[in-house]
Amino acid sequence: MDIKELVLKLHEINAVKLGQFKLKSGIMSPIYIDLRVTVSSPPLLAAIGDMMYRKVYADADVKASSDKPTIVCGVPYTALPIATGMSIAHNVPMVVRRKEAKAYGTKQLIEGHFKEGDNVLVVEDLVTSGASVLETVRDLKSVGLRTTDVVVLLDRQQGARQALAANGLRLHSIFTMEQLISTLVEAGKLDGETLKLVSAFLEANRSVQVPVAPKLVHKSFGERVTLATNPAAVKLFKLMESKKTNLAVAVDLVNKSEILALAEAIGSEICCLKTHVDIVQDFDQDFITQLQSIAAKHNFIIFEDRKFADIGNTVKYQYENGVYNISKWADAVTVHGVAGPAIIDGFRDGLKQKGAGLLILAQMSSKGSLCVGEYTNQMIEMGKQNADAVLGFICQEKLEAMGDNFVLMTPGIQFNSKGDNMGQQYNTPDYVIKEKGTDVIIVGRGIYQSNDPKSEAIKYRQQSWSAYESRL
C-alpha cells in the first residue's frame, strides 16, 4: 500500500474529519485525524503497523546503528492497537504504558518483561507538539528503559519533529500533513473554502510548543527548618542541610554485631538509620547504647520502622514500655493510620520526652499495597492536623497537600529499578527526588548486601544529594 492509497482509505472510513476540533496541544484545528476508527478495519490496521515498522528499520541511521530498538510501546490509547499489530506481525516484544498506575494488582506504570537499558521504539498515531510522546518517554525512563526512535503515521508539521530532536529522539513518519492535504486535493476530496481554511491554519501554526506544567518551586532543607513544628523534623532538616546527605539506610539484619558494624561503616554518609528491632535475635539494651553512641558520633538519627497500628492506649504501652522501650531511643517511628487520628494521642507523652516524631505511612513501595487513593488523602490530613507530632510521611511521591514542613521519605530505592520476587518494586534516586519530589531515599539491600557497603553508600549519597540540589 502506498501513501496515496492509504490516505484515500483513511478518508473513506471517515478517519479524516473537517470542522473545528480542539487538539491536545490546546489549539483549535479545522482538520482532525481520528485513527481510532482503524480498529474496525483489521486489514488497514495491519497495513499501517507494517508500514510504520518498515519505515523505522529501513531508515539508514537505524540500519547503521548497533543500538536499534528491540521493544515497541504504543502511546496510550490510540496507538496501542498499532503497536500490538506491529509486535505480532514482526515478533517484536512489547511493553504497555498506562496513563496512570493502577491502585490494585501490580500497580505498575509499565507492564511487560524487559531489562534495564533496553531500547524502546515509541509508536504514536500522529504528533502535533510531541507532548504525548515525551510523556511516554519519561515514564519508560523511570523504569530504566531508553528511547532513541519514535514512529508515527502522521506528522502534523507543527513543531513535534523539532521538539523530539531537542530531546535526542529521531522521528519517523509515514506521511506529513502537507502530503495528506495534497493527496486529498488531487483526489477532489478537499477544495474551495475548506481548503483555504485548512491551508491558512497550517501556515499559522507551524510551531506548537510542548505544553509545560508550571515548575514546582522547591525550598531548601535550610528554608524548611523554619516551617517545621515537630522537633524531630527540625533536627532532621538541619542535619541534612549541614551534613549534605539525604540518604537513609534500612538495616534489615538480625544480629546486633552486624548492625553495629554497618552503622559504623556507613554512618558518615547517612542522615538516618532505619531499624527493625523486633528481628534482632540477640537484642539487649547494650545494643541500643552502642547504636546511640555511633549515631551521635556520625550525626544521624535512628528511625524505628515499627509500623504501629493499634488503638491509642495500646500503642502507648508498645511505644513506651515492653522489651524494646522504643520511646527512650528512637528519634522517629512509623505509624499506620488505620486506627484513626486517636492513635497519635497514644504517642504524645513519649514524643515530647525524646523530642521525637512520627512518620505516617501514606504510600508503600510493595505491589498490591492498599495505601492508595482516599486512604492516602486521609493520612495526609491526619498529619496536617497533628503537625506538632508528625515528622513527615513515608510516600512514593510528593502530593500537593503535603506541606514543606514535613519530611518525605521514599523506600524501595536501588540503582537497578527492577523489583524482587516478593513484591518489592524499586525506583532510582534521581527519579524519586527530581521527578516525584520527595526528600529522603531509603536504601536497604542495595547497600547492606553489597560487598562494600561504604562505597555503595557514598554512591547513593552523591546521587541523591545531587538530585536534590538540581531541583532547587
Side-chain angles (χ1 to χ4, degrees):
M1 183 179 293
D2 60 19
I3 292 176
K4 180 178 180 180
E5 186 180 357
L6 174 59
V7 168
L8 293 179
K9 186 64 178 176
L10 290 172
H11 183 270
E12 178 185 321
I13 65 171
N14 200 31
V16 181
K17 303 178 187 295
L18 301 172
Q20 283 295 316
F21 306 93
K22 187 174 183 178
L23 307 180
K24 179 171 181 176
S25 58
I27 63 176
M28 299 299 295
S29 170
I31 185 167
Y32 181 64
I33 315 302
D34 182 11
L35 294 177
R36 288 170 295 190
V37 299
T38 60
V39 298
S40 299
S41 302
L44 176 60
L45 183 62
I48 288 171
D50 186 62
M51 291 176 74
M52 291 171 69
Y53 178 87
R54 296 183 187 283
K55 180 72 175 181
V56 175
Y57 291 95
D59 181 88
D61 289 335
V62 176
K63 289 175 70 174
S65 174
S66 59
D67 185 26
K68 298 178 179 65
T70 57
I71 298 175
V72 297
C73 178
V75 176
Y77 290 106
T78 306
L80 290 179
I82 301 174
T84 301
M86 190 183 296
S87 172
I88 294 170
H90 296 277
N91 194 28
V92 182
M94 175 177 167
V95 294
V96 175
R97 174 215 166 203
R98 296 181 175 276
K99 281 198 171 182
E100 60 285 315
K102 297 184 296 182
Y104 54 88
T106 65
K107 293 179 63 185
Q108 294 186 97
L109 199 60
I110 305 297
E111 302 279 6
H113 292 288
F114 55 87
K115 64 180 185 297
E116 189 169 2
D118 281 344
N119 189 349
V120 181
L121 172 65
V122 172
V123 180
E124 177 63 301
D125 56 341
L126 56 85
V127 283
T128 304
S129 68
S132 295
V133 168
L134 292 175
E135 288 173 4
T136 296
V137 171
R138 177 202 64 200
D139 288 341
L140 292 170
K141 184 179 179 182
S142 76
V143 296
L145 293 168
R146 299 179 302 109
T147 300
T148 57
D149 293 83
V150 177
V151 62
V152 301
L153 185 66
L154 169 65
D155 175 7
R156 289 184 62 107
Q157 296 176 285
Q158 292 178 261
R161 186 174 297 275
Q162 294 81 357
L164 297 180
N167 284 273
L169 302 169
R170 283 187 294 250
L171 176 63
H172 311 268
S173 63
I174 301 303
F175 55 85
T176 64
M177 185 62 88
E178 287 180 349
Q179 290 174 307
L180 172 73
I181 291 171
S182 64
T183 301
L184 293 176
V185 170
E186 288 175 11
K189 308 294 184 182
L190 184 63
D191 56 20
E193 288 301 315
T194 303
L195 174 58
K196 290 180 181 178
L197 187 63
V198 171
S199 299
F201 167 80
L202 293 178
E203 191 59 37
N205 293 275
R206 286 292 180 185
S207 179
V208 177
Q209 297 298 313
V210 176
V212 178
K215 184 175 176 59
L216 182 63
V217 177
H218 291 277
K219 292 182 173 66
S220 70
F221 295 145
E223 292 172 313
R224 291 164 67 182
V225 167
T226 60
L227 302 176
T229 54
N230 173 259
V234 171
K235 178 180 179 179
L236 186 53
F237 278 133
K238 287 181 177 179
L239 187 162
M240 292 191 292
E241 183 76 11
S242 63
K243 195 175 177 181
K244 298 190 184 308
T245 176
N246 53 341
L247 169 64
V249 173
V251 187
D252 298 332
L253 300 172
V254 298
N255 296 312
K256 66 180 186 180
S257 60
E258 293 179 331
I259 296 171
L260 294 171
L262 181 67
E264 180 64 50
I266 65 174
S268 60
E269 308 306 316
I270 65 176
C271 66
C272 180
L273 191 79
K274 182 169 84 74
T275 59
H276 281 288
V277 290
D278 53 354
I279 69 171
V280 181
Q281 297 172 346
D282 52 350
F283 175 87
D284 57 23
Q285 286 304 312
D286 180 62
F287 164 64
I288 294 300
T289 300
Q290 292 189 63
L291 185 59
Q292 286 181 302
S293 177
I294 294 171
K297 174 184 176 181
H298 292 294
N299 189 25
F300 62 79
I301 71 168
I302 303 171
F303 147 31
E304 167 57 21
D305 194 11
R306 180 64 176 77
K307 297 184 176 71
F308 293 96
D310 217 314
I311 62 172
N313 187 62
T314 301
V315 299
K316 179 178 176 64
Y317 284 110
Q318 292 174 324
Y319 181 51
E320 297 179 13
N321 300 284
V323 176
Y324 302 118
N325 288 305
I326 295 171
S327 68
K328 305 297 190 296
W329 53 269
D331 298 290
V333 293
T334 46
V335 177
H336 277 297
V338 290
I343 189 175
I344 293 178
D345 294 332
F347 291 98
R348 289 193 184 278
D349 289 343
L351 292 174
K352 288 177 182 177
Q353 293 176 26
K354 173 67 178 171
L358 303 178
L359 284 160
I360 296 179
L361 282 100
Q363 297 166 319
M364 295 181 71
S365 57
S366 55
K367 290 183 180 179
S369 166
L370 301 180
C371 299
V372 295
E374 184 56 30
Y375 178 85
T376 295
N377 294 335
Q378 290 187 37
M379 294 306 98
I380 297 171
E381 186 59 29
M382 186 185 299
K384 292 168 68 175
Q385 294 297 323
N386 297 276
D388 61 321
V390 176
L391 183 159
F393 299 99
I394 303 296
C395 58
Q396 294 296 301
E397 60 184 326
K398 180 176 183 178
L399 299 176
E400 187 175 353
M402 294 172 173
D404 286 330
N405 55 318
F406 296 115
V407 179
L408 309 183
M409 297 191 181
T410 301
I413 305 298
Q414 277 199 15
F415 290 135
N416 175 4
S417 61
K418 296 290 283 183
D420 64 14
N421 59 4
M422 296 186 70
Q424 177 62 287
Q425 299 177 114
Y426 292 114
N427 285 309
T428 62
D430 254 19
Y431 181 65
V432 297
I433 299 293
K434 292 200 290 191
E435 299 289 334
K436 292 301 183 179
T438 60
D439 302 318
V440 177
I441 63 167
I442 303 175
V443 184
R445 283 170 277 182
I447 290 178
Y448 72 74
Q449 288 185 346
S450 167
N451 292 328
D452 188 351
K454 175 67 176 281
S455 295
E456 285 301 300
I458 291 173
K459 293 176 186 175
Y460 276 102
R461 174 188 181 175
Q462 290 175 339
Q463 186 172 123
S464 60
W465 189 256
S466 175
Y468 158 71
E469 288 188 316
S470 71
R471 79 183 190 188
L472 296 178

